[in-house]
Amino acid sequence: MTTPPTLILHHYPSSPFSEKVRLMLGYKTIPWKSVVIPMASPKPELIALTGGYRKTPVLQIGADIYCDTALIADVLEHIAPLPALYPEPSKGMARTLAQWADTTLFWTSMAYNLQPRGIAQLFEHAPPESAQAFAQDRKAMSAGIARQRPQDAAAAYRSYLRRLSDMLDDRPFLLGDMPCITDFAMYHPLWFTRVRTSVLAGLLDATPAVLDWMDRMAAIGHGAMEKSSAQDAIAVAAASTPSALHDDVFQDEHGIALGREVRVCAETFGQEPTQGELVAATRMHYTLRRTDERAGLVHVHFPRIGYSLKAVELA
């Protein structure tokens, strides 16, 4: 019997996208190790693994580093195909709705959640300078992105909640009798409102079907978690070899050959680049090979959707 890989999740408790992954791990009953990272930069231990990418969460399996929850969900589905995150015949719809939730719904909810009352609650037990550091960090990560005002976000958020309520009229989960990727992606922005900025959670009361669905999602739990440290995670990477690449055919839209030095970065929020040797560019993802003095040789993986690839012009 093959020993399942050890999964290390780099996250922090109040991160909504981390909650998405924590619940998926619980749903698939995959044991995992928890490395808590800072909410804001600097994040030197994480950067040792990713090479630049600093958004949360990051999944580590040995010397393989997976960025973005869309890709992490695919990795979990490969490790534990059942219960499925992408069940037939609705997997196309599930992916499309999840992408909407991770972008439009997420940013609307956060524009609402991070108004002054929400920020005050989020940092009520932290040193006074923590809220300011967080705000400056997120401002730097979102440079050039148009942000909604809380009043506009509240109106849109209420409309989105009514649409979710309509989807739950005759079923326990958004697309059927069991949760799928849509549920996990729709849940985490609402979880932040209800749990982390609960002083603002009153707008959820108008959609009791949504609250009942949130209770069902929360009941999934986070599964079997073991605490670990960033230093241990780096040591795991240094002692490991990246997994062999078994992916499908090289798909080239850029005229960049495998083996070239490239940079990959998010197209919008958090555009810090990761640089390395392009060793895979498939229909679904990019893989860069890079070496760090502490982590050793690692493969850093990104989804294609939402990320840009550019060649590095060497002198």
Side-chain angles (χ1 to χ4, degrees):
M1 183 175 179
T2 304
T3 303
T6 299
L7 275 63
I8 303 171
L9 186 67
H10 299 259
H11 68 123
Y12 58 85
S14 62
S15 161
F17 277 100
S18 296
E19 182 65 11
K20 175 186 174 184
V21 176
R22 292 186 294 250
L23 273 187
M24 290 192 292
L25 289 163
Y27 185 54
K28 288 185 172 290
T29 65
I30 303 173
W32 56 286
K33 291 188 174 183
S34 166
V35 173
V36 175
I37 63 176
M39 291 179 66
S41 287
K43 303 180 181 182
E45 284 75 25
L46 182 68
I47 299 305
L49 297 168
T50 67
Y53 181 90
R54 66 181 181 95
K55 294 196 288 184
T56 308
V58 167
L59 180 68
Q60 176 188 353
I61 305 176
D64 286 279
I65 314 300
Y66 298 93
C67 303
D68 197 285
T69 61
L71 178 57
I72 291 170
D74 288 340
V75 172
L76 299 184
E77 189 82 340
H78 177 75
I79 292 170
L82 296 175
L85 295 173
Y86 309 101
E88 295 286 6
S90 59
K91 68 177 183 179
M93 181 186 297
R95 282 189 184 274
T96 301
L97 288 171
Q99 185 179 1
W100 175 85
D102 283 342
T103 52
T104 301
L105 177 62
F106 172 78
W107 285 114
T108 299
S109 74
M110 296 310 285
Y112 173 77
N113 296 330
L114 297 181
Q115 57 184 285
R117 281 198 299 152
I119 287 283
Q121 182 181 18
L122 191 61
F123 290 96
E124 62 184 341
H125 301 301
E129 62 273 13
S130 297
Q132 184 178 1
F134 175 82
Q136 291 174 344
D137 182 74
R138 294 308 188 266
K139 182 178 180 181
M141 292 181 75
S142 57
I145 300 176
R147 299 295 294 271
Q148 287 177 294
R149 296 182 304 165
Q151 301 90 333
D152 298 325
Y157 202 1
R158 288 190 177 96
S159 291
Y160 297 153
L161 290 170
R162 288 194 295 271
R163 295 176 192 179
L164 295 188
S165 183
D166 288 343
M167 293 173 71
L168 294 162
D169 276 347
D170 57 355
R171 57 184 73 132
F173 297 99
L174 291 170
L175 295 184
D177 293 332
M178 298 293 287
C180 67
I181 191 62
T182 300
D183 294 274
F184 294 97
M186 297 281 193
Y187 175 78
H188 71 89
L190 280 59
W191 165 85
F192 193 93
T193 304
R194 192 183 195 187
V195 175
R196 297 301 178 183
T197 57
S198 59
V199 294
L200 301 171
L203 89 171
L204 296 168
D205 295 339
T207 49
V210 172
L211 288 172
D212 291 343
W213 163 76
M214 291 184 73
D215 289 341
R216 290 190 286 274
M217 291 298 295
I220 292 170
H222 297 163
M225 182 271 286
E226 177 185 343
K227 292 182 180 180
S228 188
S229 70
Q231 292 74 24
D232 287 346
I234 291 173
V236 167
S240 303
T241 301
S243 297
L245 296 169
H246 298 298
D247 286 308
D248 39 341
V249 179
F250 172 54
Q251 183 168 316
D252 176 25
E253 273 93 17
H254 299 82
I256 299 174
L258 295 180
R260 283 289 304 276
E261 192 77 5
V262 298
R263 290 191 183 99
V264 171
C265 68
E267 292 174 347
T268 54
F269 181 71
Q271 295 181 315
E272 293 82 5
T274 292
Q275 181 169 325
E277 178 191 350
L278 183 67
V279 292
T282 75
R283 181 174 58 88
M284 297 288 286
H285 73 270
Y286 301 117
T287 299
L288 306 190
R289 177 189 290 134
R290 56 175 305 276
T291 302
D292 179 84
E293 61 181 13
R294 289 187 291 167
L297 176 66
V298 296
H299 281 177
V300 188
H301 308 270
F302 298 89
R304 286 189 85 122
I305 293 177
Y307 290 80
S308 64
L309 174 73
K310 293 182 180 179
V312 174
E313 300 302 330
L314 301 176

